[in-house]
Amino acid sequence: MNNPFGGWFDSVARWWRSDAPPAASTSPADQASDALRQLLDDPTVPESVRRELGNEFARIQSLLDKLARSELHVAVFGRVSVGKSALGNALLGLDAFGTGVLHGTTTRAEQQRWTEAGGSGLHLIDTPGINELDGEARERLAFEVAEISDLVLFVVDGDMTQVERDALATLAATERPLLLVLNKADRYDDSERERLLVRLREHTAGIVPPANVLACAASPAPQRVVEVDAQGRERERREARPPEVDDLRERLLAICAREGKTLSALNAGLFAGRLSDQVAQRIAEVRRGVADTVIRYYCLAKGVAVALNPVPVADLLAAAALDAALVMHLGKVYGLPLTRREAGQLILTICAQLAALMGAIWGVHLVASALKVASAGVSTLLTAGAQGALAWYATQVVGRAAERYLVAGKSWGDSGPKRVVQDIVAQLDRDSILREAREEILARLRGGAAR
């Protein structure tokens, strides 16, 4: 299956990392919707593959609805206790996500619409911490949520740990646009904060544009206030401070207003590309399984036919007829039907290369055929196993070479048929195939004689 998107979302991803204007494109959201519908309605996808990838196909409709509503989903991602939930609440201006002193308070993904974003439909998704002890399931969920989001706020509270750097690299590989947020910045003075931001920008060079590495304080430590009464007595109290998230809020809202539809379409495009690859892989596996069965069937049929036929010319005619039928059958399996003429030309091409590699084997084949004629068939059981096994092996090579030709879209590729046949011969364990073939053929012959 071909990816229906072309390269438009690659240009968007490059723009995000370079912070340069995106290449002009016509209605990326419409392109994404069209490609998703193509996947949803593709008649070439087998029902078994649709069932196996049922969750992914079900998500196509939710992505179409999301694109129609112009929603942008933002995941808040990071280690345990860096203040992800507090940051989400500070941006929303309400206590939507649970916070607490317990290590790893968020145990499942939570989603909340950001009403301040108005018609742009911005949604924040709070995720579990990626390094929660005994929390492999939570970490997996966090990565899944981040992968299906349009934008990720990667939250840290100091210089990046190795766990964070590894997680950032994993997210970057999904082509997900990222902002790196230094939370709890109130713990540092101005010079310390600036040095830390410089360090973070060094860590994320080529992944996050420098302008998208921001500092904030979702829940600043209370401020110490000393009051003096009329009598000159001092009294100390702690006064809560408002969140310091204005820069981050403005950046997010600007992104949502300016590029929300493009980023949402990018995510849909990435999903469609991944699903296309999954579907193609599963179809290839299904076809390969069917092809294996077909090739084995023809190997057995040809091996037995050659073993039973005492006339050398008839051996060759039976072999050619079965090989032609095999190649045509494989063409149907791979959705590339072959005419008899095409099948014949393909077999001639393969056998020409095979003969050059297996001259000695063909000599044994002709000697065995002559022996069968000279003995009027008396020595059939003595020679049939060896001769039929050689026919089996040759059919295995023909089938595999034809399969490679069909998988490449009726092409030998740059290497040509000689190299393809050489590779297949090198990959097959001839001795084990001949041994298995001889045993199977003799078992069939003895079974037939017994009946």
Side-chain angles (χ1 to χ4, degrees):
M1 291 181 64
N2 294 323
N3 190 317
F5 281 85
W8 66 267
F9 59 78
D10 291 330
S11 67
V12 175
R14 286 193 297 271
W15 153 71
W16 183 262
R17 290 185 178 184
S18 66
D19 215 20
S25 60
T26 303
S27 209
D30 289 343
Q31 292 183 38
S33 296
D34 289 344
L36 288 171
R37 290 190 183 94
Q38 288 178 33
L39 273 175
L40 198 60
D41 302 331
D42 190 346
T44 65
V45 179
E47 194 57 38
S48 61
V49 174
R50 285 186 180 276
R51 286 195 300 269
E52 184 177 342
L53 300 176
N55 290 337
E56 286 79 2
F57 275 95
R59 192 178 155 223
I60 290 178
Q61 189 58 55
S62 66
L63 278 174
L64 285 169
D65 294 340
K66 176 173 169 286
L67 285 169
R69 294 191 299 266
S70 299
E71 289 182 2
L72 183 69
H73 289 184
V74 179
V76 187
F77 192 88
R79 284 188 302 109
V80 167
S81 299
V82 294
K84 300 184 301 297
S85 299
L87 180 59
N89 290 339
L91 290 170
L92 292 168
L94 54 90
D95 292 333
F97 303 123
T99 61
V101 295
L102 180 64
H103 185 68
T105 300
T106 301
T107 58
R108 60 186 178 83
E110 299 177 74
Q111 181 173 321
Q112 180 68 39
R113 188 172 187 275
W114 191 354
T115 56
E116 183 180 342
S120 55
L122 185 60
H123 290 243
L124 291 182
I125 303 173
D126 189 24
T127 66
I130 59 175
N131 65 329
E132 174 64 52
L133 295 176
D134 300 322
E136 291 184 7
R138 297 180 191 179
E139 182 172 348
R140 183 170 59 253
L141 176 61
F143 275 100
E144 288 172 355
V145 170
E147 188 176 17
I148 65 173
S149 298
D150 306 306
L151 180 66
V152 177
L153 300 183
F154 197 107
V155 185
V156 298
D157 61 1
D159 198 2
M160 295 183 76
T161 66
Q162 190 60 51
V163 168
E164 290 169 327
R165 292 165 74 174
D166 291 344
L168 186 69
T170 299
L171 288 173
T174 70
E175 299 293 340
R176 194 71 46 217
L178 299 162
L179 276 76
L180 186 70
V181 181
L182 172 62
N183 193 24
K184 305 182 182 179
D186 58 299
R187 300 188 302 185
Y188 309 99
D189 62 32
D190 291 345
S191 61
E192 290 173 333
R193 181 187 302 192
E194 190 54 38
R195 284 196 299 270
L196 189 49
L197 287 173
V198 170
R199 179 78 168 156
L200 292 174
R201 289 177 181 126
E202 291 173 354
H203 286 318
T204 58
I207 298 176
V208 182
N212 289 338
V213 179
L214 304 165
C216 68
S219 182
Q223 184 176 11
R224 177 175 172 268
V225 178
V226 177
E227 296 178 337
V228 180
D229 62 19
Q231 287 74 39
R233 291 174 299 194
E234 294 183 353
R235 186 182 64 177
E236 183 179 308
R237 63 180 178 84
R238 298 284 178 175
E239 183 176 283
R241 291 190 291 170
E244 299 173 11
V245 294
D246 289 347
D247 290 346
L248 177 59
R249 179 186 286 111
E250 289 176 9
R251 182 66 170 157
L252 277 174
L253 292 177
I255 290 171
C256 182
R258 184 171 62 95
E259 300 297 342
K261 290 184 178 180
T262 301
L263 293 179
S264 186
L266 168 64
N267 180 40
L270 291 169
F271 174 79
R274 289 193 302 274
L275 182 55
S276 292
D277 291 342
Q278 286 180 283
V279 169
Q281 181 179 353
R282 285 300 300 126
I283 291 176
E285 290 170 359
V286 169
R287 285 174 170 168
R288 181 61 187 268
V290 174
D292 287 346
T293 301
V294 169
I295 291 172
R296 182 176 177 81
Y297 170 82
Y298 280 94
C299 284
L300 178 60
K302 182 176 171 182
V304 172
V306 169
L308 284 174
N309 201 320
V311 183
V313 174
D315 280 0
L316 297 177
L317 291 174
L322 285 169
D323 283 346
L326 166 61
V327 169
M328 293 178 72
H329 198 155
L330 288 175
K332 293 178 181 177
V333 169
Y334 282 96
L336 295 169
L338 297 167
T339 65
R340 289 186 180 276
R341 180 182 177 84
E342 288 176 320
Q345 291 175 339
L346 180 57
I347 291 169
L348 286 175
T349 300
I350 296 171
C351 288
Q353 304 304 324
L354 189 57
L357 293 170
M358 300 176 62
I361 291 179
W362 297 125
V364 172
H365 175 83
L366 292 174
V367 170
S369 294
L371 180 60
K372 285 198 294 184
V373 171
S375 59
V378 172
S379 64
T380 295
L381 285 177
L382 298 177
T383 62
Q387 190 178 8
L390 289 172
W392 178 308
Y393 177 78
T395 297
Q396 181 79 220
V397 176
V398 169
R400 293 303 175 199
E403 184 182 28
R404 185 86 66 86
Y405 173 81
L406 291 165
V407 167
K410 293 186 177 181
S411 169
W412 293 113
D414 296 334
S415 58
K418 180 178 180 180
R419 180 58 181 273
V420 169
V421 174
Q422 285 178 336
D423 288 347
I424 289 170
V425 169
Q427 291 166 8
L428 294 177
D429 186 342
R430 189 175 67 190
D431 291 339
S432 66
I433 290 175
L434 291 174
R435 183 169 54 253
E436 176 193 358
R438 185 175 182 278
E439 292 172 357
E440 182 73 20
I441 290 167
L442 288 177
R444 292 297 180 106
L445 292 177
R446 293 190 184 106
R451 289 193 293 272

